Amino acid sequence: MASPPASVIVVSRGRPEALDLCLKALALQDHPQFEVIVVADPAGLAVAARHPVRRVAFDEANISAARNAGLRLAAGEAVAFIDDDAVAEPTWLSRLVAPLADPSVDAATGFVRGRNGISLQWGAARIDRFGQDHPLDAGAGGVFAPDATGPVKTQGANCAFRASALRAAGGFDPAFRFYLDEADVNLRMQARTAVIPDAQVAHGFAASDRRRADRVPLTLADIGASTACFLRRHAPDADLPAAFSALAGAQAVRLAAHRKAARLNGADVARLMDSLSGGWADGLTRPLGPLPPIPAPAGGFEPLPGTGQRDGKVIAGRIWQAGRLRAEAERAAREGQIVTLFLFSPTPRKHRMRFDPAGFWEQTGGLFGASLRSQPRFRLWTFPERLAYETERVGNLRPMARFSPRPSVV
């Protein structure tokens, strides 16, 4: 199924370095026709100016309003969203938007890997009218209609919509400044949604004005406010005091774990719980009127140059050869190849995968260590065996060595 022309919207505020990495990875997409729209603060716009992308000035702590600002310019048949602290696999966009070629499908979502670049952070789930997730066994993926539980939940770091359908629904509700913003769209649209497990991004969970780099929250106000708004709209019969008690209990458990790990103290916890209460009170009063449709853009489509299918290359060696092999990987990336570098140490160290600013993917870890966290902590491998396993594991996500019968092993 051919992928329709697409617009990728990236909202960024206060994270220019992460945005730069995100945009470098988007330039390597194998989708042949897509544009990128960056909606950002001044620092983000300065980074975006170094890339051939469209730019929209926006410097408010409201991700829904920012996404709508991008949607007003999006000229693609499909519109995709990725977080500024996420890095997309080269096959991400083409796989994500391909199901939207079917006129009965109006939304799509993929899987999200976590900070180590390997472990699954988010899979498939449905969202109910109380804002609760219900795991969905998507198998190899497919198209799922809403059922008695609710529609498929699209993950904000990795989702796409038919642009005309999203605009007809009014886009994102600015009452949801952060948290439950996509879930609100899912409940309002009630769309048949494609789940594509192999349309993957790695999500870094970078620091923001709402959380630290170690994922410790700085405020819970938006969680409180958005939860109140969500229940008012989608579960008007809910017992709101009981709902707040349940929310407060869940957040208290979360904060207790951070306190046990010495990332928070008692005063921090009290302040954060106060912010949750304040946000809840705010959310009970925010206007939730009907959302008018967003008009189609008057401007034209501005595709990113140089995208499409590329050759893959694998470079592999020992960790003490890292300097020379990274230089080789950088040269190959400059030549336009999709490069994956494997560096193994003679240890049982766990593996990590990252996208290097020089434009290549790098996986490091012990020859005998686990890449998937479900694997044994130690397993004997020869170097060729380990390399063959890892290239097979990753090879479905990005080209490995399209025209090379064997990877380059040093």
Side-chain angles (χ1 to χ4, degrees), residues 21-104:
L21 202 64
C22 176
L23 296 178
K24 287 178 178 178
L26 287 177
L28 301 179
Q29 293 296 299
D30 66 5
H31 192 295
Q33 194 176 22
F34 71 97
E35 63 180 2
V36 177
I37 301 170
V38 175
V39 185
D41 60 358
L45 292 180
V47 164
R50 304 200 294 261
H51 300 265
V53 301
R54 306 177 72 180
R55 303 186 298 279
V56 180
F58 192 94
D59 194 8
E60 300 175 25
N62 189 321
I63 194 169
S64 293
R67 285 174 171 165
N68 287 345
L71 183 58
R72 291 186 182 95
L73 288 183
E77 295 175 22
V79 58
F81 296 90
I82 183 171
D83 285 357
D84 63 349
D85 60 347
V87 171
E89 289 287 347
T91 53
W92 167 70
L93 184 62
S94 57
R95 290 175 173 176
L96 181 67
V97 302
L100 299 177
D102 179 344
S104 71

Side-chain angles (χ1 to χ4, degrees), residues 6 46 52 92 97 116 234 260 283 285 317 374:
W92 167 70
V97 302
N116 63 28
H234 301 292
K260 183 177 180 180
T285 63
S374 59

Side-chain angles (χ1 to χ4, degrees), residues 18-385:
L19 173 63
D20 191 47
L21 202 64
C22 176
L23 296 178
K24 287 178 178 178
L26 287 177
L28 301 179
Q29 293 296 299
D30 66 5
H31 192 295
Q33 194 176 22
F34 71 97
E35 63 180 2
V36 177
I37 301 170
V38 175
V39 185
D41 60 358
L45 292 180
V47 164
R50 304 200 294 261
H51 300 265
V53 301
R54 306 177 72 180
R55 303 186 298 279
V56 180
F58 192 94
D59 194 8
E60 300 175 25
N62 189 321
I63 194 169
S64 293
R67 285 174 171 165
N68 287 345
L71 183 58
R72 291 186 182 95
L73 288 183
E77 295 175 22
V79 58
F81 296 90
I82 183 171
D83 285 357
D84 63 349
D85 60 347
V87 171
E89 289 287 347
T91 53
W92 167 70
L93 184 62
S94 57
R95 290 175 173 176
L96 181 67
V97 302
L100 299 177
D102 179 344
S104 71
V105 178
D106 282 337
T109 193
F111 280 14
V112 180
R113 305 197 307 271
R115 277 183 167 177
N116 63 28
I118 298 174
S119 301
L120 186 66
Q121 189 179 90
W122 287 312
R126 293 187 184 273
I127 186 78
D128 68 22
R129 67 192 187 98
F130 298 100
Q132 299 301 308
D133 288 1
H134 299 267
L136 173 64
D137 183 5
V143 176
F144 298 85
D147 66 10
T149 302
V152 170
K153 180 179 182 180
T154 56
Q155 299 295 347
N158 184 356
C159 63
F161 301 88
R162 184 177 309 282
S164 58
L166 182 57
R167 280 194 281 262
F172 293 83
D173 189 343
F176 295 83
R177 299 170 189 169
F178 172 78
Y179 190 69
L180 292 175
D181 37 302
E182 301 95 7
D184 172 66
V185 170
N186 302 149
L187 267 291
R188 285 190 285 111
M189 288 185 66
Q190 292 291 318
R192 294 183 75 242
T193 302
V195 177
I196 311 98
D198 288 339
Q200 293 192 13
V201 305
H203 185 216
F205 261 117
S208 71
D209 54 2
R210 297 182 180 91
R211 67 171 179 249
R212 297 185 336 210
D214 59 1
R215 298 181 67 173
V216 173
L218 299 174
T219 176
L220 299 177
D222 284 312
I223 290 177
S226 290
T227 302
C229 288
F230 192 91
L231 294 174
R232 287 169 57 209
R233 170 169 284 156
H234 301 292
D237 57 338
D239 183 335
L240 292 181
F244 177 72
S245 294
L247 175 66
Q251 293 301 316
V253 170
R254 174 190 178 195
L255 298 182
H258 285 304
R259 186 175 182 184
K260 183 177 180 180
R263 294 187 287 263
L264 292 172
N265 59 35
D268 295 327
V269 171
R271 174 183 53 79
L272 287 166
M273 292 303 292
D274 284 345
S275 72
L276 183 71
S277 299
W280 176 269
D282 180 21
L284 294 178
T285 63
R286 288 184 186 176
L288 290 175
L291 300 176
I294 293 176
F301 187 63
E302 300 182 20
L304 202 66
T307 66
Q309 297 284 342
R310 298 173 184 234
D311 297 337
K313 181 173 185 178
V314 172
I315 300 171
R318 311 292 182 172
I319 191 66
W320 51 84
Q321 300 168 318
R324 178 167 58 84
L325 296 183
R326 285 171 179 152
E328 181 183 344
E330 184 173 352
R331 286 193 299 271
R334 284 199 305 267
E335 293 168 358
Q337 294 179 299
I338 302 296
V339 183
T340 304
L341 170 62
F342 294 99
L343 294 171
F344 301 142
S345 61
T347 69
R349 185 179 179 182
K350 291 180 180 178
H351 286 227
R352 300 181 65 88
M353 177 77 75
R354 70 183 184 95
F355 182 69
D356 190 274
F360 60 88
W361 278 262
E362 177 183 299
Q363 181 173 328
T364 57
L367 182 63
F368 313 116
S371 50
L372 300 177
R373 297 312 187 246
S374 59
Q375 293 173 333
R377 302 174 82 178
F378 181 91
R379 178 179 171 181
L380 284 174
W381 301 83
T382 65
F383 193 102
E385 287 173 340

